[in-house]
Amino acid sequence: MSVALRNAQRAVPVRRAPLRRAVCVLRAALGASRFDVGLICAGNGLMQRLNGAYRRRPEPTDVLSFPFHRVTAGELPRPRCRDDYNLGDIFLGVEYIHRQCRATGEDFESVLAVTAAHGLCHLLGYQHDTKPEWQQMYQKEVEILEVLNRLTGASLRPLTAGLF
């Protein structure tokens, strides 16, 4: 199925083709190739509004995921009709991520791919509120990023290393 990618900000240039390819590989690594996913590159203003409205944290952030289905971590949705083949939407806070990358010296495009992997895991029910949940999500992120690393020669690691 498709990855619908929209750049809804102008603060930071985003190379959409590599990001779309990475998300397609990550989605396949999760066994979810048959599902559509929306990917929105957002600026700080939009991320702050969404984070405030949905998480009661009125500040910009790196990623917000809005799943179409409610599933247990590790399970794929069970669509009943064609319109249900949708994982949901991921908002990448590219302005926030870019600022963090400039401060740390990390590669912006690599961090975008890792952040998208994190968002995809959230769409499939993974969470990191407790140590056991974090361990499960972290392991899944390692697994899917290893697939992307093999195909691209990169050495990407999950965002949440050392969270607990």
Side-chain angles (χ1 to χ4, degrees), residues 80-105:
R80 294 184 182 162
C81 66
R82 169 64 191 106
D83 289 343
D84 288 348
Y85 280 87
N86 182 355
L87 292 180
D89 295 318
I90 301 168
F91 285 76
L92 294 175
V94 295
E95 190 174 355
Y96 181 91
I97 294 166
H98 188 260
R99 183 172 291 141
Q100 295 292 100
C101 288
R102 283 192 3 229
T104 62

Short mmCIF file of all heavy atoms in Angstrom, two decimals, residues 80-105:
data_model
loop_
_atom_site.label_atom_id
_atom_site.label_comp_id
_atom_site.label_asym_id
_atom_site.label_seq_id
_atom_site.Cartn_x
_atom_site.Cartn_y
_atom_site.Cartn_z
N ARG A 80 -11.52 -5.00 8.33
CA ARG A 80 -12.78 -5.62 7.91
C ARG A 80 -13.15 -5.24 6.48
O ARG A 80 -13.94 -5.91 5.84
CB ARG A 80 -13.90 -5.21 8.84
CG ARG A 80 -13.70 -5.75 10.23
CD ARG A 80 -14.85 -5.42 11.13
NE ARG A 80 -14.57 -5.93 12.45
CZ ARG A 80 -15.19 -5.54 13.52
NH1 ARG A 80 -16.14 -4.64 13.45
NH2 ARG A 80 -14.88 -6.04 14.69
N CYS A 81 -12.57 -4.12 6.01
CA CYS A 81 -12.83 -3.68 4.64
C CYS A 81 -11.60 -2.94 4.14
O CYS A 81 -10.67 -2.66 4.89
CB CYS A 81 -14.08 -2.80 4.57
SG CYS A 81 -13.91 -1.23 5.44
N ARG A 82 -11.58 -2.61 2.85
CA ARG A 82 -10.44 -1.96 2.21
C ARG A 82 -10.04 -0.67 2.93
O ARG A 82 -8.86 -0.38 3.09
CB ARG A 82 -10.77 -1.68 0.73
CG ARG A 82 -9.80 -0.79 0.02
CD ARG A 82 -8.41 -1.43 -0.06
NE ARG A 82 -7.44 -0.47 -0.51
CZ ARG A 82 -6.51 0.11 0.27
NH1 ARG A 82 -6.43 -0.17 1.53
NH2 ARG A 82 -5.67 0.97 -0.23
N ASP A 83 -10.99 0.10 3.37
CA ASP A 83 -10.69 1.38 4.03
C ASP A 83 -10.00 1.21 5.38
O ASP A 83 -9.43 2.17 5.90
CB ASP A 83 -11.97 2.20 4.23
CG ASP A 83 -12.52 2.74 2.92
OD1 ASP A 83 -11.75 2.77 1.92
OD2 ASP A 83 -13.70 3.11 2.88
N ASP A 84 -10.05 0.01 5.93
CA ASP A 84 -9.42 -0.24 7.23
C ASP A 84 -7.94 -0.61 7.11
O ASP A 84 -7.28 -0.83 8.12
CB ASP A 84 -10.15 -1.36 7.98
CG ASP A 84 -11.50 -0.92 8.51
OD1 ASP A 84 -11.79 0.30 8.51
OD2 ASP A 84 -12.27 -1.80 8.94
N TYR A 85 -7.41 -0.70 5.90
CA TYR A 85 -5.98 -1.00 5.70
C TYR A 85 -5.18 0.29 5.87
O TYR A 85 -4.57 0.80 4.94
CB TYR A 85 -5.72 -1.64 4.33
CG TYR A 85 -6.06 -3.10 4.32
CD1 TYR A 85 -7.34 -3.54 4.04
CD2 TYR A 85 -5.08 -4.05 4.61
CE1 TYR A 85 -7.66 -4.89 4.04
CE2 TYR A 85 -5.38 -5.40 4.62
CZ TYR A 85 -6.68 -5.81 4.33
OH TYR A 85 -6.97 -7.15 4.34
N ASN A 86 -5.22 0.81 7.07
CA ASN A 86 -4.59 2.08 7.39
C ASN A 86 -4.00 1.95 8.79
O ASN A 86 -4.69 1.56 9.72
CB ASN A 86 -5.65 3.18 7.35
CG ASN A 86 -5.10 4.55 7.62
OD1 ASN A 86 -3.92 4.73 7.93
ND2 ASN A 86 -5.95 5.55 7.52
N LEU A 87 -2.71 2.25 8.92
CA LEU A 87 -2.09 2.21 10.25
C LEU A 87 -2.37 3.48 11.04
O LEU A 87 -2.47 3.46 12.25
CB LEU A 87 -0.58 2.02 10.14
CG LEU A 87 -0.09 0.69 9.63
CD1 LEU A 87 1.43 0.67 9.57
CD2 LEU A 87 -0.61 -0.45 10.50
N GLY A 88 -2.46 4.60 10.35
CA GLY A 88 -2.67 5.88 11.00
C GLY A 88 -1.69 6.92 10.49
O GLY A 88 -1.11 6.77 9.41
N ASP A 89 -1.50 7.96 11.27
CA ASP A 89 -0.65 9.09 10.87
C ASP A 89 0.47 9.32 11.88
O ASP A 89 0.26 9.21 13.09
CB ASP A 89 -1.48 10.37 10.76
CG ASP A 89 -2.51 10.29 9.65
OD1 ASP A 89 -2.18 9.77 8.57
OD2 ASP A 89 -3.65 10.75 9.88
N ILE A 90 1.62 9.69 11.34
CA ILE A 90 2.78 10.05 12.15
C ILE A 90 3.12 11.50 11.81
O ILE A 90 3.31 11.83 10.64
CB ILE A 90 3.99 9.15 11.84
CG1 ILE A 90 3.67 7.70 12.10
CG2 ILE A 90 5.21 9.61 12.63
CD1 ILE A 90 4.72 6.75 11.53
N PHE A 91 3.21 12.33 12.83
CA PHE A 91 3.66 13.71 12.67
C PHE A 91 5.10 13.78 13.15
O PHE A 91 5.38 13.49 14.32
CB PHE A 91 2.79 14.67 13.48
CG PHE A 91 1.44 14.92 12.88
CD1 PHE A 91 0.44 13.98 12.97
CD2 PHE A 91 1.19 16.11 12.21
CE1 PHE A 91 -0.80 14.20 12.41
CE2 PHE A 91 -0.05 16.35 11.64
CZ PHE A 91 -1.05 15.39 11.74
N LEU A 92 6.00 14.12 12.24
CA LEU A 92 7.40 14.30 12.58
C LEU A 92 7.66 15.78 12.82
O LEU A 92 7.41 16.60 11.93
CB LEU A 92 8.31 13.81 11.46
CG LEU A 92 8.30 12.31 11.15
CD1 LEU A 92 9.18 12.02 9.93
CD2 LEU A 92 8.77 11.53 12.35
N GLY A 93 8.16 16.12 13.98
CA GLY A 93 8.49 17.51 14.30
C GLY A 93 9.85 17.86 13.71
O GLY A 93 10.84 17.91 14.44
N VAL A 94 9.88 18.09 12.39
CA VAL A 94 11.17 18.24 11.70
C VAL A 94 11.95 19.47 12.17
O VAL A 94 13.18 19.43 12.24
CB VAL A 94 11.03 18.22 10.16
CG1 VAL A 94 10.53 16.88 9.68
CG2 VAL A 94 10.13 19.33 9.67
N GLU A 95 11.24 20.53 12.51
CA GLU A 95 11.94 21.72 13.00
C GLU A 95 12.60 21.42 14.35
O GLU A 95 13.77 21.77 14.58
CB GLU A 95 10.95 22.88 13.13
CG GLU A 95 11.59 24.21 13.40
CD GLU A 95 10.57 25.35 13.39
OE1 GLU A 95 9.38 25.13 13.08
OE2 GLU A 95 11.00 26.48 13.70
N TYR A 96 11.88 20.74 15.23
CA TYR A 96 12.40 20.32 16.53
C TYR A 96 13.58 19.36 16.36
O TYR A 96 14.63 19.51 16.98
CB TYR A 96 11.27 19.66 17.32
CG TYR A 96 11.63 19.18 18.69
CD1 TYR A 96 11.46 20.01 19.80
CD2 TYR A 96 12.11 17.90 18.91
CE1 TYR A 96 11.77 19.57 21.07
CE2 TYR A 96 12.42 17.45 20.17
CZ TYR A 96 12.25 18.29 21.26
OH TYR A 96 12.57 17.84 22.51
N ILE A 97 13.40 18.37 15.49
CA ILE A 97 14.45 17.37 15.24
C ILE A 97 15.70 18.04 14.66
O ILE A 97 16.82 17.74 15.07
CB ILE A 97 13.94 16.26 14.30
CG1 ILE A 97 12.83 15.45 14.99
CG2 ILE A 97 15.07 15.35 13.84
CD1 ILE A 97 12.04 14.56 14.04
N HIS A 98 15.50 18.95 13.72
CA HIS A 98 16.62 19.64 13.09
C HIS A 98 17.42 20.43 14.12
O HIS A 98 18.66 20.40 14.12
CB HIS A 98 16.11 20.55 11.97
CG HIS A 98 17.20 21.15 11.16
ND1 HIS A 98 17.66 22.44 11.36
CD2 HIS A 98 17.95 20.63 10.15
CE1 HIS A 98 18.62 22.69 10.51
NE2 HIS A 98 18.83 21.62 9.76
N ARG A 99 16.72 21.11 15.00
CA ARG A 99 17.40 21.89 16.05
C ARG A 99 18.20 20.96 16.97
O ARG A 99 19.34 21.26 17.33
CB ARG A 99 16.38 22.69 16.86
CG ARG A 99 17.05 23.57 17.91
CD ARG A 99 16.06 24.50 18.59
NE ARG A 99 15.62 25.50 17.62
CZ ARG A 99 14.38 25.96 17.52
NH1 ARG A 99 13.46 25.52 18.33
NH2 ARG A 99 14.08 26.86 16.61
N GLN A 100 17.62 19.81 17.34
CA GLN A 100 18.32 18.84 18.18
C GLN A 100 19.57 18.31 17.46
O GLN A 100 20.62 18.16 18.08
CB GLN A 100 17.41 17.68 18.54
CG GLN A 100 16.23 18.04 19.42
CD GLN A 100 16.66 18.46 20.80
OE1 GLN A 100 16.72 19.65 21.10
NE2 GLN A 100 16.95 17.52 21.64
N CYS A 101 19.44 18.02 16.19
CA CYS A 101 20.57 17.50 15.41
C CYS A 101 21.71 18.53 15.32
O CYS A 101 22.88 18.16 15.41
CB CYS A 101 20.13 17.08 14.01
SG CYS A 101 19.15 15.57 14.01
N ARG A 102 21.35 19.78 15.13
CA ARG A 102 22.39 20.82 15.11
C ARG A 102 23.11 20.90 16.44
O ARG A 102 24.33 21.11 16.49
CB ARG A 102 21.77 22.18 14.75
CG ARG A 102 21.48 22.28 13.27
CD ARG A 102 21.14 23.67 12.77
NE ARG A 102 21.19 24.74 13.70
CZ ARG A 102 20.23 25.64 13.87
NH1 ARG A 102 19.14 25.58 13.15
NH2 ARG A 102 20.36 26.61 14.75
N ALA A 103 22.39 20.72 17.54
CA ALA A 103 22.99 20.80 18.87
C ALA A 103 23.89 19.60 19.18
O ALA A 103 24.89 19.73 19.87
CB ALA A 103 21.91 20.92 19.94
N THR A 104 23.52 18.42 18.64
CA THR A 104 24.26 17.20 18.97
C THR A 104 25.22 16.75 17.88
O THR A 104 26.02 15.85 18.09
CB THR A 104 23.29 16.03 19.25
OG1 THR A 104 22.52 15.78 18.05
CG2 THR A 104 22.36 16.34 20.42
N GLY A 105 25.07 17.34 16.68
CA GLY A 105 25.92 16.93 15.56
C GLY A 105 25.46 15.67 14.85
O GLY A 105 26.17 15.14 14.00
#
